[in-house]
Amino acid sequence: MTTKPTVLVTRKLPDAVEDRLKRDYEVRLNPDDALYSPDELVDLAEGADAILPCHTEHFSGDVVQRLPDNVKIVANFSVGVDHCDLEALGKRGIIVTNTPDVLSDATAEIAILLMLGAARRASEGERMMRDGSWRNWSPSFMVGSAITRKRLGIIGMGRVGQIVAKRARGFEMEIHYCNRNRLPEANEQEAVYHNSIESLLPVSDILSLNCPSTPETVSLLSAERIALLPDRAIIINTARGALVDENALMDALKSGKLASAGLDVYRTEPGGNHDISALPNTFLLPHIGSATMETRNAMGFRALDNLDAYFAGKEPKDRVA
Ligand code: 8YV
């Protein structure tokens, strides 16, 4: 009888994903969905061949150093891998995979929701309806701005960025983008390429961040860059909080330089930034970009496909380190 590889699963995953895990692996599940401390993570990894974590587990250089030798692969349940010190994992010979593609539609949906919510002041209106403070109506009441036929700037024209552009075309938006590489013309669909963020910002009535967080992109949206946006621009972030200087963002929201911001991600998660939450001209969600049942199942299956490939002696499809 061949023994099945042992997989440490750090969070509660959808039932269908856990069923497949139980069928194919010796599995250490987390039915209470408790958040493991770095020490617990290291301890629980003892004897496990693989770890299937979420972005909530931080594989810092220190944690990676302390992982037992039995761990051969970290198969993430996430597309972002900024919670992983890839260099440290690589040095230990631990393979790392992620789950691209399967969450692009869901994240793009949330980007459009944030755009509409921020532009049309949905948060202020919704709060009013809930706390009973709607007492008046006038032509100047709750006036926001349209997104239809506005210029949308996208930083990061990868899988999610391209779907955001596709959905935004339904609002007849004029798409501009900045990406490390220009897309092939057929994929551009008339989106205008900018080879620098500085050139993109002045034409972005709405700016959507869709690039990964890497050492090169941390604090990419600084006070200096926000100043380059048109007055009353709107910022949308469904990527990572670390891309934005949150103090600069708050200053610009307070001064009126920015009309509003729609955010799903924050520098501090969970929790977010309470000073940002106190600003009325924000539309805020708690990092739910991929939170649909369809997507969460697909993410789990994709992580499992990577594990299956590795344990079958093949190269996992989504290897990032
Ligand atoms: C996930 C995400 O919910 O996949 C990502 O990178 O940001 C989210 O949509 C989360 O990472 C799950 O671990």
PDB file of all heavy atoms in Angstrom, residues 18 39 42 66 70 72 86 96 107-108 118 122 125 143 197 218 234 253 265 277 311 316:
ATOM      1  N   GLU A  18     -12.386  20.271   0.325  1.00  0.00           N
ATOM      2  CA  GLU A  18     -11.923  19.411   1.432  1.00  0.00           C
ATOM      3  C   GLU A  18     -12.232  17.941   1.136  1.00  0.00           C
ATOM      4  O   GLU A  18     -11.448  17.056   1.490  1.00  0.00           O
ATOM      5  CB  GLU A  18     -12.547  19.883   2.752  1.00  0.00           C
ATOM      6  CG  GLU A  18     -12.002  21.258   3.165  1.00  0.00           C
ATOM      7  CD  GLU A  18     -12.215  21.599   4.639  1.00  0.00           C
ATOM      8  OE1 GLU A  18     -13.002  20.896   5.306  1.00  0.00           O
ATOM      9  OE2 GLU A  18     -11.582  22.572   5.092  1.00  0.00           O
ATOM     10  N   ASP A  39       4.437  30.423  14.947  1.00  0.00           N
ATOM     11  CA  ASP A  39       4.930  29.254  15.702  1.00  0.00           C
ATOM     12  C   ASP A  39       4.042  28.029  15.468  1.00  0.00           C
ATOM     13  O   ASP A  39       4.544  26.916  15.272  1.00  0.00           O
ATOM     14  CB  ASP A  39       4.967  29.552  17.209  1.00  0.00           C
ATOM     15  CG  ASP A  39       6.110  30.491  17.548  1.00  0.00           C
ATOM     16  OD1 ASP A  39       6.986  30.678  16.681  1.00  0.00           O
ATOM     17  OD2 ASP A  39       6.100  31.041  18.674  1.00  0.00           O
ATOM     18  N   VAL A  42       4.623  26.545  12.012  1.00  0.00           N
ATOM     19  CA  VAL A  42       5.860  25.753  11.960  1.00  0.00           C
ATOM     20  C   VAL A  42       5.647  24.403  12.652  1.00  0.00           C
ATOM     21  O   VAL A  42       6.014  23.351  12.117  1.00  0.00           O
ATOM     22  CB  VAL A  42       7.028  26.541  12.595  1.00  0.00           C
ATOM     23  CG1 VAL A  42       8.246  25.656  12.774  1.00  0.00           C
ATOM     24  CG2 VAL A  42       7.372  27.761  11.739  1.00  0.00           C
ATOM     25  N   ARG A  66      12.466  28.212   9.603  1.00  0.00           N
ATOM     26  CA  ARG A  66      12.108  27.264  10.664  1.00  0.00           C
ATOM     27  C   ARG A  66      11.215  26.123  10.176  1.00  0.00           C
ATOM     28  O   ARG A  66      10.897  25.225  10.956  1.00  0.00           O
ATOM     29  CB  ARG A  66      11.410  28.029  11.792  1.00  0.00           C
ATOM     30  CG  ARG A  66      12.363  28.996  12.510  1.00  0.00           C
ATOM     31  CD  ARG A  66      11.607  30.052  13.295  1.00  0.00           C
ATOM     32  NE  ARG A  66      10.678  29.461  14.244  1.00  0.00           N
ATOM     33  CZ  ARG A  66       9.530  30.002  14.621  1.00  0.00           C
ATOM     34  NH1 ARG A  66       9.159  31.178  14.142  1.00  0.00           N
ATOM     35  NH2 ARG A  66       8.750  29.396  15.483  1.00  0.00           N
ATOM     36  N   ASN A  70      10.626  18.301   5.951  1.00  0.00           N
ATOM     37  CA  ASN A  70       9.654  17.479   5.222  1.00  0.00           C
ATOM     38  C   ASN A  70       8.786  18.287   4.259  1.00  0.00           C
ATOM     39  O   ASN A  70       8.197  17.741   3.335  1.00  0.00           O
ATOM     40  CB  ASN A  70       8.756  16.713   6.213  1.00  0.00           C
ATOM     41  CG  ASN A  70       8.265  17.569   7.364  1.00  0.00           C
ATOM     42  OD1 ASN A  70       8.893  17.593   8.412  1.00  0.00           O
ATOM     43  ND2 ASN A  70       7.160  18.283   7.158  1.00  0.00           N
ATOM     44  N   LYS A  72       7.809  20.164   1.190  1.00  0.00           N
ATOM     45  CA  LYS A  72       8.397  20.225  -0.158  1.00  0.00           C
ATOM     46  C   LYS A  72       7.714  21.260  -1.046  1.00  0.00           C
ATOM     47  O   LYS A  72       8.271  21.710  -2.038  1.00  0.00           O
ATOM     48  CB  LYS A  72       8.278  18.848  -0.848  1.00  0.00           C
ATOM     49  CG  LYS A  72       8.943  17.726  -0.077  1.00  0.00           C
ATOM     50  CD  LYS A  72      10.457  17.891  -0.054  1.00  0.00           C
ATOM     51  CE  LYS A  72      11.140  16.777   0.701  1.00  0.00           C
ATOM     52  NZ  LYS A  72      12.136  17.244   1.639  1.00  0.00           N
ATOM     53  N   LEU A  86       9.596  34.533  -1.427  1.00  0.00           N
ATOM     54  CA  LEU A  86       9.871  33.540  -2.481  1.00  0.00           C
ATOM     55  C   LEU A  86      11.349  33.178  -2.534  1.00  0.00           C
ATOM     56  O   LEU A  86      11.706  32.025  -2.799  1.00  0.00           O
ATOM     57  CB  LEU A  86       9.408  34.066  -3.842  1.00  0.00           C
ATOM     58  CG  LEU A  86       7.897  34.284  -3.998  1.00  0.00           C
ATOM     59  CD1 LEU A  86       7.577  34.797  -5.397  1.00  0.00           C
ATOM     60  CD2 LEU A  86       7.101  33.014  -3.715  1.00  0.00           C
ATOM     61  N   VAL A  96       6.727  26.692  -4.819  1.00  0.00           N
ATOM     62  CA  VAL A  96       5.573  27.546  -4.477  1.00  0.00           C
ATOM     63  C   VAL A  96       4.673  27.663  -5.705  1.00  0.00           C
ATOM     64  O   VAL A  96       5.160  27.885  -6.816  1.00  0.00           O
ATOM     65  CB  VAL A  96       6.038  28.958  -4.042  1.00  0.00           C
ATOM     66  CG1 VAL A  96       4.841  29.807  -3.615  1.00  0.00           C
ATOM     67  CG2 VAL A  96       7.064  28.882  -2.914  1.00  0.00           C
ATOM     68  N   THR A 107     -12.849  39.159  -9.191  1.00  0.00           N
ATOM     69  CA  THR A 107     -12.163  40.374  -8.748  1.00  0.00           C
ATOM     70  C   THR A 107     -12.559  41.563  -9.631  1.00  0.00           C
ATOM     71  O   THR A 107     -12.738  42.683  -9.130  1.00  0.00           O
ATOM     72  CB  THR A 107     -10.631  40.148  -8.754  1.00  0.00           C
ATOM     73  OG1 THR A 107     -10.356  38.962  -8.009  1.00  0.00           O
ATOM     74  CG2 THR A 107      -9.897  41.307  -8.130  1.00  0.00           C
ATOM     75  N   ALA A 108     -12.714  41.303 -10.926  1.00  0.00           N
ATOM     76  CA  ALA A 108     -13.135  42.383 -11.827  1.00  0.00           C
ATOM     77  C   ALA A 108     -14.555  42.847 -11.471  1.00  0.00           C
ATOM     78  O   ALA A 108     -14.861  44.046 -11.537  1.00  0.00           O
ATOM     79  CB  ALA A 108     -13.065  41.924 -13.278  1.00  0.00           C
ATOM     80  N   ALA A 118     -18.164  54.068  -5.454  1.00  0.00           N
ATOM     81  CA  ALA A 118     -17.410  55.277  -5.126  1.00  0.00           C
ATOM     82  C   ALA A 118     -17.934  56.475  -5.920  1.00  0.00           C
ATOM     83  O   ALA A 118     -18.108  57.567  -5.379  1.00  0.00           O
ATOM     84  CB  ALA A 118     -15.925  55.058  -5.403  1.00  0.00           C
ATOM     85  N   ALA A 122     -22.437  55.479  -2.976  1.00  0.00           N
ATOM     86  CA  ALA A 122     -23.334  54.420  -2.486  1.00  0.00           C
ATOM     87  C   ALA A 122     -23.226  54.222  -0.977  1.00  0.00           C
ATOM     88  O   ALA A 122     -24.215  53.919  -0.308  1.00  0.00           O
ATOM     89  CB  ALA A 122     -23.024  53.115  -3.208  1.00  0.00           C
ATOM     90  N   GLY A 125     -25.223  56.908   0.857  1.00  0.00           N
ATOM     91  CA  GLY A 125     -26.662  56.687   0.667  1.00  0.00           C
ATOM     92  C   GLY A 125     -27.159  55.489   1.457  1.00  0.00           C
ATOM     93  O   GLY A 125     -28.214  55.537   2.097  1.00  0.00           O
ATOM     94  N   VAL A 143     -25.222  64.164  -5.050  1.00  0.00           N
ATOM     95  CA  VAL A 143     -24.806  64.170  -6.454  1.00  0.00           C
ATOM     96  C   VAL A 143     -23.381  63.625  -6.565  1.00  0.00           C
ATOM     97  O   VAL A 143     -22.459  64.137  -5.927  1.00  0.00           O
ATOM     98  CB  VAL A 143     -24.900  65.601  -7.049  1.00  0.00           C
ATOM     99  CG1 VAL A 143     -24.345  65.628  -8.469  1.00  0.00           C
ATOM    100  CG2 VAL A 143     -26.352  66.066  -7.024  1.00  0.00           C
ATOM    101  N   ILE A 197       3.810  55.229 -15.519  1.00  0.00           N
ATOM    102  CA  ILE A 197       2.653  55.566 -14.671  1.00  0.00           C
ATOM    103  C   ILE A 197       2.424  57.076 -14.760  1.00  0.00           C
ATOM    104  O   ILE A 197       1.288  57.552 -14.787  1.00  0.00           O
ATOM    105  CB  ILE A 197       2.921  55.108 -13.216  1.00  0.00           C
ATOM    106  CG1 ILE A 197       2.990  53.582 -13.175  1.00  0.00           C
ATOM    107  CG2 ILE A 197       1.847  55.624 -12.261  1.00  0.00           C
ATOM    108  CD1 ILE A 197       3.297  52.986 -11.813  1.00  0.00           C
ATOM    109  N   VAL A 218       5.508  48.451  -4.135  1.00  0.00           N
ATOM    110  CA  VAL A 218       5.050  48.937  -2.828  1.00  0.00           C
ATOM    111  C   VAL A 218       5.031  50.471  -2.831  1.00  0.00           C
ATOM    112  O   VAL A 218       5.952  51.108  -3.333  1.00  0.00           O
ATOM    113  CB  VAL A 218       5.958  48.384  -1.697  1.00  0.00           C
ATOM    114  CG1 VAL A 218       5.745  49.154  -0.406  1.00  0.00           C
ATOM    115  CG2 VAL A 218       5.666  46.911  -1.463  1.00  0.00           C
ATOM    116  N   ILE A 234     -11.015  59.340  -9.162  1.00  0.00           N
ATOM    117  CA  ILE A 234     -11.473  58.274  -8.247  1.00  0.00           C
ATOM    118  C   ILE A 234     -10.447  57.136  -8.300  1.00  0.00           C
ATOM    119  O   ILE A 234     -10.009  56.749  -9.389  1.00  0.00           O
ATOM    120  CB  ILE A 234     -12.866  57.755  -8.676  1.00  0.00           C
ATOM    121  CG1 ILE A 234     -13.905  58.872  -8.526  1.00  0.00           C
ATOM    122  CG2 ILE A 234     -13.274  56.518  -7.881  1.00  0.00           C
ATOM    123  CD1 ILE A 234     -15.286  58.525  -9.059  1.00  0.00           C
ATOM    124  N   LEU A 253      -8.194  62.667  -0.309  1.00  0.00           N
ATOM    125  CA  LEU A 253      -9.653  62.524  -0.153  1.00  0.00           C
ATOM    126  C   LEU A 253     -10.207  63.673   0.680  1.00  0.00           C
ATOM    127  O   LEU A 253     -11.313  64.158   0.451  1.00  0.00           O
ATOM    128  CB  LEU A 253      -9.981  61.184   0.514  1.00  0.00           C
ATOM    129  CG  LEU A 253      -9.818  59.936  -0.363  1.00  0.00           C
ATOM    130  CD1 LEU A 253      -9.839  58.665   0.479  1.00  0.00           C
ATOM    131  CD2 LEU A 253     -10.920  59.882  -1.433  1.00  0.00           C
ATOM    132  N   VAL A 265      -8.934  46.405  -0.418  1.00  0.00           N
ATOM    133  CA  VAL A 265      -7.688  45.923   0.212  1.00  0.00           C
ATOM    134  C   VAL A 265      -6.994  47.068   0.946  1.00  0.00           C
ATOM    135  O   VAL A 265      -7.113  48.234   0.550  1.00  0.00           O
ATOM    136  CB  VAL A 265      -6.747  45.314  -0.858  1.00  0.00           C
ATOM    137  CG1 VAL A 265      -7.268  43.988  -1.357  1.00  0.00           C
ATOM    138  CG2 VAL A 265      -6.552  46.279  -2.018  1.00  0.00           C
ATOM    139  N   SER A 277     -11.834  54.671   6.934  1.00  0.00           N
ATOM    140  CA  SER A 277     -13.259  54.336   7.104  1.00  0.00           C
ATOM    141  C   SER A 277     -14.068  55.528   7.602  1.00  0.00           C
ATOM    142  O   SER A 277     -15.273  55.608   7.378  1.00  0.00           O
ATOM    143  CB  SER A 277     -13.433  53.185   8.096  1.00  0.00           C
ATOM    144  OG  SER A 277     -12.615  52.112   7.762  1.00  0.00           O
ATOM    145  N   PHE A 311       3.034  15.804  -6.861  1.00  0.00           N
ATOM    146  CA  PHE A 311       3.200  14.461  -6.295  1.00  0.00           C
ATOM    147  C   PHE A 311       3.173  13.365  -7.367  1.00  0.00           C
ATOM    148  O   PHE A 311       3.541  12.230  -7.097  1.00  0.00           O
ATOM    149  CB  PHE A 311       2.167  14.207  -5.184  1.00  0.00           C
ATOM    150  CG  PHE A 311       2.493  14.993  -3.941  1.00  0.00           C
ATOM    151  CD1 PHE A 311       1.691  16.048  -3.528  1.00  0.00           C
ATOM    152  CD2 PHE A 311       3.638  14.704  -3.211  1.00  0.00           C
ATOM    153  CE1 PHE A 311       2.007  16.793  -2.405  1.00  0.00           C
ATOM    154  CE2 PHE A 311       3.966  15.446  -2.085  1.00  0.00           C
ATOM    155  CZ  PHE A 311       3.150  16.498  -1.674  1.00  0.00           C
ATOM    156  N   PRO A 316       4.282  21.539 -11.536  1.00  0.00           N
ATOM    157  CA  PRO A 316       2.958  22.135 -11.312  1.00  0.00           C
ATOM    158  C   PRO A 316       2.740  23.319 -12.273  1.00  0.00           C
ATOM    159  O   PRO A 316       3.666  24.067 -12.541  1.00  0.00           O
ATOM    160  CB  PRO A 316       3.034  22.633  -9.868  1.00  0.00           C
ATOM    161  CG  PRO A 316       4.239  21.997  -9.270  1.00  0.00           C
ATOM    162  CD  PRO A 316       5.164  21.655 -10.388  1.00  0.00           C
TER     163      PRO A 316
END
